[in-house]
Amino acid sequence: MSGEHLARLAGLARMIRDLKLAELEAAGRARAESRARLAGLDLSPIEPDLGVIAAAQAEVRYQSWAEARRAEINLTLARQTAEWIEAREAARRAFGRAQVLERLTARRIPPERGT
């Protein structure tokens, strides 16, 4: 394999590595957003001005609504976590390939002339 060919492969491997790292970062951001939405449901928006009975009814309704949202968000979060794990493995492989090609390019000994 020629040095030029190896250098091209190393360049492509770097581009793929950068792409996979960007995909991993995007998957991580999506997971973080879902986690934040999930955490936001823990805050009860009940007004303290309400009477005791009205506040209790509002709290029960909110908790019922929040549980439905939690279920939806947890399903999304599970899917996002699976995607993040796949993206992490793809980025790890791409990083390794790029690193190997970089090392091979750096160690490449030019062919001897006249042989």
Side-chain angles (χ1 to χ4, degrees), residues 1 6 13 22-23 32 34 41 44 55 59 63 67-68 73 80 91:
M1 181 178 297
L6 193 57
E23 289 172 356
S34 290
L41 291 174
S44 181
E59 180 68 25
Q63 290 305 326
E67 281 304 313
I73 294 170
Q80 289 170 331

Side-chain angles (χ1 to χ4, degrees), residues 1 4-14 97-98 101 105:
M1 181 178 297
E4 182 180 325
H5 186 67
L6 193 57
R8 282 187 196 164
L9 279 177
L12 287 173
R14 284 190 303 273
R97 288 179 183 140
L101 285 167
T105 302

Side-chain angles (χ1 to χ4, degrees), residues 30-78:
R31 283 179 68 220
E33 289 171 8
S34 290
R35 286 180 173 170
R37 287 183 23 227
L38 200 55
L41 291 174
D42 291 337
L43 306 175
S44 181
I46 306 304
E47 290 291 324
D49 299 1
L50 294 176
V52 175
I53 294 174
Q57 289 174 335
E59 180 68 25
V60 168
R61 284 190 199 122
Y62 175 78
Q63 290 305 326
S64 176
W65 174 85
E67 281 304 313
R69 298 300 79 70
R70 281 186 192 97
E72 292 172 10
I73 294 170
N74 278 327
L75 285 174
T76 300
L77 187 56

Side-chain angles (χ1 to χ4, degrees), residues 23-29 31 78-90:
E23 289 172 356
L24 176 60
E25 184 179 343
R29 274 195 312 271
R31 283 179 68 220
R79 179 184 48 78
Q80 289 170 331
T81 300
E83 290 170 358
W84 177 79
I85 289 169
E86 289 175 11
R88 183 184 64 186
E89 292 306 312

Side-chain angles (χ1 to χ4, degrees), residues 86-108:
E86 289 175 11
R88 183 184 64 186
E89 292 306 312
R92 184 177 288 153
R93 281 190 306 274
F95 187 84
R97 288 179 183 140
Q99 193 173 33
V100 166
L101 285 167
E102 294 274 336
R103 287 181 183 168
L104 287 174
T105 302
R107 291 183 184 169
R108 178 100 170 109

